């Protein structure tokens, strides 16, 4: 994902912009650049392929200076990684940096070429620079020209721009891609992530969808999508807000569970328009690769493997293509036959999981169509060695038991499922429905987190238990697997998960009043089947803990506790039903007195066999 930093001050801002870019390196990038307006009124531009330090060396050599500037790290979506495709893009009077994807860039580019504009890059972003320049020639007002520009764009964007005729003004706009304003003393800033600006300010304004902002060193004006001047809340961020501190939480795991709405929002932002997934987010040449996909092979370990099993249901139902899921440590030591035109997907939180990395290298020797990494660490080995990448943007996860890394993996896989599905009969209307549902997901996660107190109360019932059984049907079976894994990882209670329909084939023999049975029960086509399975548990004296859709019609009694979850579209069910299982495991572990964040015998990143 690309990164933006902008500054306007009464001092040289080059070092501020460079530090901001370095702080955004975690997002991954392939080139970097900076634009400024010099004391002589000239628009200065410096760009470099590769790492920020290469840009820094060029800037030092050029004695690059300025009291206003914009800077950018780019992850290629249109055009190969190169200096010419790096941002900022310049057009006569203006320079622009852009995060996101412009869907209608080809028609806009054709129109601008008809007006005599010459394009130097292969990017979709360059159309913004030329379009802004064209609008400025008429408007003679940078913020008005930006507003007239963005109404002609379709897609997702975070934009920052400067103009030589307004050398003390920085403007920015957001739609589907995050931007934050940083407030200083006689200086102001903009960035795609507040972490880029922490060395210079602790006061931030988060721009809302459709907002535009005009900044000078001593003024700020925010306009909504209708062009009306608006106030936005200022938030003060302390150092304890960041991932390396627990802040108000007792454990990192609880903090990370509660960060899931924000982490999922970050993972979705810039990848969705109002009605569709912007598949360019997967990287250059992704469209032609996806056009040829006839099968999917997923390889992962642990929690990431469970995400892969969820994805199997998604790809086979939505995209109508076969999907095979392997545990990486098994895949690498068996004879593997991959169908023709297979997309090989590795899922890893760290990107350094030894077995998964080895499986990726084997897949390349097998001649798969292409490799795709779903990962949370941009410069990891798995990302570097894959053809395509979708970063999950969960942020640093300190707790060994994965929480937000898992749910952001699910969100990323759902995006991919839609992209593949549109090639196999998924209608635009259905895609629009599912995209709309995904956009509701952060808010719905917040609602589920409000079950925390209720779950904490019943966790006492697990203190003296040594075994637990998790049940789910269909796509909820891997959710049950993940719930069982969380409980065993951090509370040391032996836990297993089964498809509920398998009860009669063995697990029912274990059920008695000492075996808690935890079930996830959305209101879907398998609900009545699941209810019948649970009656088998009741008949053997088992105690049920049911996380159920509020419309599912479960009745609580002394042997059945029911936790009501909001009714959600089916696409959201795997994530929504994962969160209460995370909370249950956390509170049980706390009450049993185990080391929640660093459970015995386990490591966060498994980099050896």
């Amino acid at each position: 994902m690309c990164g933006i930093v902008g500054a306007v001050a009464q001092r040289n801002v080059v070092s501020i912009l460079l530090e901001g870019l370095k702080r955004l390196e975690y997002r991954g990038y392939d080139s970097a650049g900076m634009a400024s307006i010099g004391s002589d009124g000239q628009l200065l531009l410096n760009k470099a392929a590769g790492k920020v330090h290469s840009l820094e060396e060029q800037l030092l050599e050029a004695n690059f200076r300025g009291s206003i500037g914009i800077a950018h790290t780019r992850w290629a979506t249109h055009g190969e990684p190169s200096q010419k495709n790096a941002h900022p893009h310049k057009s006569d009077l203006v320079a622009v940096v852009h995060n996101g994807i412009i869907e209608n860039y080809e028609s806009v580019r054709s129109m601008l070429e008809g007006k005599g504009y010459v394009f130097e890059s292969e990017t979709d972003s360059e159309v913004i620079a030329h379009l802004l320049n064209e609008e400025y020639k008429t408007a003679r007002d940078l913020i008005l020209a930006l507003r007239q520009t963005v109404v002609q764009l379709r897609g997702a964007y975070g934009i920052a721009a400067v103009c030589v005729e307004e050398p003390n003004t920085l403007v920015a706009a957001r739609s589907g891609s995050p931007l934050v304003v940083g407030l200083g003393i006689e200086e102001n800033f903009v960035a795609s992530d507040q972490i880029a600006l922490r060395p210079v300010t602790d006061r931030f304004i988060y721009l809302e969808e459709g907002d535009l902002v005009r900044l000078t060193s001593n003024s700020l004006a925010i306009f909504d999508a209708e062009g009306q001047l608006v106030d936005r809340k200022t938030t003060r961020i302390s150092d304890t807000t960041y991932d390396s501190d627990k802040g108000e939480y007792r454990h990192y795991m609880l903090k990370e569970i509660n960060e899931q709405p924000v982490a999922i929002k970050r993972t979705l932002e810039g990848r969705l328009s109002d009605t569709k997934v912007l598949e360019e987010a997967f990287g250059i040449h992704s469209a032609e690769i996806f056009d040829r996909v006839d099968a999917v092979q997923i390889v992962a370990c642990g929690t990431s493997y469970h995400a892969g099993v969820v994805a199997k249901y998604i790809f086979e139902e939505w995209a109508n293509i076969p999907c095979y899921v392997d545990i990486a440590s098994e895949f690498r030591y068996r004879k593997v036959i991959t169908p023709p035109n297979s997309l090989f997907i590795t899922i890893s939180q760290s990107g350094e999981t030894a077995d998964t990395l080895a499986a990726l290298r084997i897949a390349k020797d097998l001649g798969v169509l292409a490799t795709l990494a779903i990962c949370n660490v941009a410069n990891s080995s798995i990302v570097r060695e894959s053809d395509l990448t979708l970063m999950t943007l969960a942020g640093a996860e300190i707790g060994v038991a994965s929480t937000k890394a898992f749910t952001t993996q699910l969100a990323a896989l759902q995006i991919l499922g839609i992209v593949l599905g549109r090639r196999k009969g998924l209608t635009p209307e259905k895609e629009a429905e599912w995209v709309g549902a995904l956009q509701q997901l952060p808010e719905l996660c917040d609602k589920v987190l409000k079950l925390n107190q209720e779950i904490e109360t019943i966790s006492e019932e697990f203190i003296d238990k040594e075994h637990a059984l998790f049940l789910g049907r269909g796509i909820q079976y891997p959710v049950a697997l993940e719930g069982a894994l969380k409980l065993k990882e951090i509370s040391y209670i032996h836990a297993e998960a089964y498809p509920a329909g398998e009860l009669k084939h063995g697990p029912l023999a274990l059920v008695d009043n000492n075996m808690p049975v935890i079930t996830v029960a959305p209101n879907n086509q398998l609900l009545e089947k699941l209810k019948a399975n649970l009656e088998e548990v009741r008949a053997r004296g088992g105690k049920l803990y049911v996380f159920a859709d509020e419309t599912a019609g479960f009745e609580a009694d002394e042997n059945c506790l029911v936790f009501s979850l909001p009714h959600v579209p089916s696409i959201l069910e795997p994530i929504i039903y994962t969160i209460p299982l995370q909370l249950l495991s956390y509170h049980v572990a706390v009450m049993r007195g185990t080391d929640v964040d660093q459970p015995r015998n386990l490591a966060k990143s498994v980099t050896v066999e």
Side-chain angles (χ1 to χ4, degrees):
M1 291 290 288
C2 307
I4 286 175
V5 191
V8 53
Q10 297 185 18
R11 57 172 167 155
N12 182 24
V13 298
V14 171
S15 62
I16 296 171
L17 297 176
L18 275 172
E19 177 61 25
L21 293 184
K22 291 175 182 177
R23 286 170 165 257
L24 294 176
E25 287 184 299
Y26 77 94
R27 299 167 71 94
Y29 66 103
D30 51 56
S31 58
M34 186 182 300
S36 181
I37 299 174
S39 57
D40 59 357
Q42 296 297 306
L43 187 57
L44 308 174
L45 198 64
N46 211 312
K47 305 193 286 188
K51 299 302 180 183
V52 170
H53 69 77
S54 298
L55 174 67
E56 185 174 19
E57 291 172 357
Q58 291 181 195
L59 295 173
L60 287 171
E61 185 177 341
N63 193 28
F64 202 87
R65 299 180 62 80
S67 59
I68 184 171
I70 51 177
H72 190 266
T73 50
R74 175 180 185 255
W75 187 292
T77 58
H78 293 81
E80 301 290 341
S82 66
Q83 186 177 44
K84 72 174 183 178
N85 288 330
H87 297 216
H89 291 292
K90 178 182 175 182
S91 179
D92 191 17
L93 301 173
V94 304
V96 167
V97 291
H98 165 233
N99 286 357
I101 294 162
I102 303 303
E103 291 181 79
N104 62 329
Y105 83 97
E106 290 178 335
S107 61
V108 176
R109 177 170 178 149
S110 179
M111 178 270 291
L112 290 166
E113 286 174 333
K115 292 178 178 289
Y117 284 93
V118 176
F119 284 76
E120 298 180 356
S121 78
E122 303 164 306
T123 70
D124 58 331
S125 304
E126 191 179 357
V127 301
I128 303 172
H130 293 313
L131 188 56
L132 179 61
N133 187 74
E134 180 68 14
E135 293 296 339
Y136 187 80
K137 290 192 298 186
T138 303
R140 314 312 298 184
D141 179 282
L142 190 55
I143 191 69
L144 178 57
L146 182 59
R147 182 162 184 255
Q148 292 171 342
T149 295
V150 298
V151 298
Q152 299 176 63
L153 303 176
R154 293 201 317 271
Y157 55 79
I159 299 168
V162 294
C163 175
V164 292
E165 293 194 356
E166 298 186 31
N168 302 309
T169 300
L170 171 64
V171 297
R174 73 150 289 180
S175 179
S177 189
L179 281 180
V180 60
V181 173
L183 305 176
I185 299 172
E186 296 190 332
E187 54 190 20
N188 287 305
F189 313 93
V190 68
S192 49
D193 187 327
Q194 73 268 10
I195 195 172
L197 303 177
R198 278 301 284 123
V200 289
T201 185
D202 62 355
R203 293 183 300 137
F204 298 95
I205 297 173
Y206 297 91
L207 296 182
E208 297 185 7
E209 193 72 2
D211 280 356
L212 294 90
V213 61
R214 179 178 61 211
L215 301 172
T216 69
S217 60
N218 51 26
S219 71
L220 161 72
I222 300 174
F223 304 87
D224 64 16
E226 282 69 49
Q228 300 300 308
L229 197 62
V230 293
D231 290 323
R232 299 292 185 220
K233 178 184 175 183
T234 299
T235 301
R236 190 176 291 273
I237 302 293
S238 67
D239 288 334
T240 59
T241 304
Y242 289 95
D243 293 324
S244 59
D245 295 282
K246 291 192 285 283
E248 64 187 71
Y249 296 99
R250 182 175 175 184
H251 297 96
Y252 285 110
M253 183 179 177
L254 184 59
K255 176 175 183 279
E256 289 155 8
I257 289 171
N258 281 277
E259 287 174 340
Q260 287 175 113
V262 173
I264 290 168
K265 183 178 180 181
R266 275 201 306 256
T267 297
L268 295 174
E269 279 182 322
R271 290 155 173 176
L272 305 176
S273 70
D274 291 341
T275 60
K276 63 187 294 189
V277 173
L278 305 175
E279 66 184 60
E280 294 87 349
F282 289 87
I284 302 167
H285 309 309
S286 58
E288 50 260 50
I289 290 172
F290 294 150
D291 286 344
R292 298 173 57 196
V293 172
D294 292 323
V296 172
Q297 170 73 62
I298 296 175
V299 171
C301 299
T303 286
S304 296
Y305 169 74
H306 296 155
V309 180
V310 172
K312 176 179 174 65
Y313 289 87
I314 291 172
F315 296 152
E316 293 190 344
E317 181 174 348
W318 302 1
N320 199 33
I321 55 176
C323 177
Y324 309 92
V325 188
D326 275 89
I327 295 171
S329 56
E330 294 294 315
F331 179 92
R332 63 184 294 196
Y333 292 116
R334 70 173 177 86
K335 181 180 179 181
V336 176
I337 299 173
T338 57
N341 293 325
S342 289
L343 177 65
F344 188 88
I345 300 174
T346 53
I347 309 173
S348 171
Q349 183 271 327
S350 68
E352 302 294 346
T353 310
D355 287 319
T356 308
L357 183 57
L360 171 62
R361 291 166 178 166
I362 291 168
K364 290 187 172 185
D365 292 337
L366 292 173
V368 296
L369 172 64
T371 57
L372 187 154
I374 291 178
C375 186
N376 194 43
V377 180
N379 296 312
S380 61
S381 299
I382 286 173
V383 168
R384 292 196 308 270
E385 296 186 28
S386 296
D387 301 316
L388 303 173
T389 301
L390 190 66
M391 303 304 302
T392 53
L393 300 181
E397 191 177 66
I398 309 299
V400 167
S402 180
T403 53
K404 62 179 180 174
F406 175 67
T407 51
T408 53
Q409 286 170 354
L410 294 183
L413 288 162
Q414 287 168 327
I415 290 173
L416 179 58
I418 293 172
V419 165
L420 295 177
R422 70 163 66 128
R423 290 162 165 80
K424 306 292 183 179
L426 180 66
T427 66
E429 293 76 18
K430 195 65 177 178
E431 178 172 354
E433 176 188 332
W434 286 350
V435 166
L438 287 170
Q439 289 166 338
Q440 300 172 39
L441 184 53
E443 181 182 350
L444 289 167
C445 290
D446 272 323
K447 288 184 178 180
V448 175
L449 287 167
K450 290 181 170 59
L451 284 172
N452 181 59
Q453 191 64 50
E454 192 178 346
I455 293 172
E456 182 178 8
T457 300
I458 62 97
S459 297
E460 295 181 28
E461 300 184 15
F462 287 75
I463 291 176
D464 61 348
K465 304 300 182 187
E466 295 302 326
H467 306 278
L469 185 64
F470 286 73
L471 300 176
R473 293 206 68 149
I475 200 170
Q476 293 300 322
Y477 166 52
V479 172
L481 284 170
E482 177 61 14
L485 177 62
K486 285 292 153 286
L487 190 66
K488 73 178 76 169
E489 278 182 311
I490 62 172
S491 74
Y492 313 149
I493 293 174
H494 171 245
E496 297 296 334
Y498 283 88
E502 282 290 291
L503 275 171
K504 289 182 177 135
H505 297 276
L508 205 54
L510 299 172
V511 172
D512 59 22
N513 58 8
N514 290 315
M515 171 72 84
V517 178
I518 301 98
T519 305
V520 284
N523 191 355
N524 58 26
Q525 72 275 14
L526 292 172
L527 177 61
E528 294 307 316
K529 297 284 187 185
L530 178 64
K531 285 182 175 180
N533 300 142
L534 298 187
E535 285 304 316
E536 297 171 341
V537 174
R538 282 179 187 264
R540 274 78 179 175
K543 183 154 186 179
L544 288 164
Y545 300 81
V546 183
F547 295 93
D549 187 308
E550 61 192 4
T551 68
F554 279 92
E555 293 185 8
D557 58 34
E558 62 180 359
N559 290 317
C560 180
L561 292 179
V562 179
F563 304 87
S564 293
L565 276 67
H567 180 70
V568 299
S570 60
I571 185 175
L572 306 184
E573 288 171 355
I575 293 174
I576 293 300
Y577 284 83
T578 291
I579 293 172
L581 302 186
Q582 295 171 344
L583 289 169
L584 176 65
S585 299
Y586 170 76
H587 289 300
V588 172
V590 170
M591 291 180 183
R592 285 169 63 94
T594 62
D595 190 338
V596 172
D597 288 330
Q598 294 181 308
R600 65 191 183 200
N601 305 331
L602 299 179
K604 183 62 180 171
S605 179
V606 184
T607 56
V608 295
E609 279 196 71

